[in-house]
Each structure stands twice: as C-alpha cells, then as structure tokens.
Amino acid sequence: MQLIVLYREDGRIVALSRVGPTARDEAGVPTPRSGAEPGDGQRVAIVELEPAWRDRPFAEIQRHCTVVHDGDRVRLRERGEQAP
C-alpha cells in the first residue's frame, strides 16, 4: 500500500493519506481530490508502507515512524530503528 505523507524537514509526520484510484465522473474526467498543502519547512512524498504496518491505524504510524531519505527514495522508518 502506498501513502501520501506530509512531513516536516526533520522527518516528523504531519499527515497521512492513502494513495487510491482516481475517481472519474460520467464523462471520464477525474474528480478533484483535496489534501493538505505543505507549509514552510514541510514536504510531501509517496511512500510504500511496509507489510508489518498495513493493519495499523494512521495515528499509530504517525506516532511511531519518521520519514527518511534512503538514496533517491523516501521511506518510513520506525523510531529507534538504526539507519541503514
């Protein structure tokens, strides 16, 4: 499962949402989606949620994980986990 993550520059998560299929109206036009816009010192990324976290509530993921840059990709890392 992929998540859209709004996070601060220090990696702390501000908001999470699922990446889902784009809804379309009868004419096939994608319907607009709303979401949080990053403020000063914030970024947005799409990350793959590890299988161990897929059944957990977003609030728990937000409390226990941070966003890290791992080469060219962005991923979630559980706090206390050693950096690769």
Side-chain angles (χ1 to χ4, degrees):
M1 171 189 342
Q2 291 184 318
L3 297 178
I4 300 171
V5 182
L6 175 65
Y7 63 101
R8 297 185 334 199
E9 288 179 348
D10 66 0
R12 294 185 73 90
I13 298 170
V14 176
L16 297 166
S17 63
R18 280 188 179 85
V19 173
T22 303
R24 298 184 180 272
D25 66 12
E26 299 87 33
V29 176
T31 54
R33 294 179 57 132
S34 62
E37 290 288 329
D40 289 337
Q42 296 178 340
R43 298 179 183 181
V44 174
I46 296 177
V47 299
E48 186 68 34
L49 187 61
E50 294 184 24
W53 286 91
R54 290 189 179 162
D55 293 332
R56 298 192 186 185
F58 281 177
E60 186 176 345
I61 295 168
Q62 186 171 358
R63 277 193 308 272
H64 295 282
C65 293
T66 60
V67 176
V68 295
H69 292 263
D70 189 6
D72 289 340
R73 72 183 191 116
V74 176
R75 68 178 187 89
L76 296 179
R77 180 176 72 199
E78 190 169 3
R79 291 191 183 125
E81 175 186 324
Q82 296 298 316

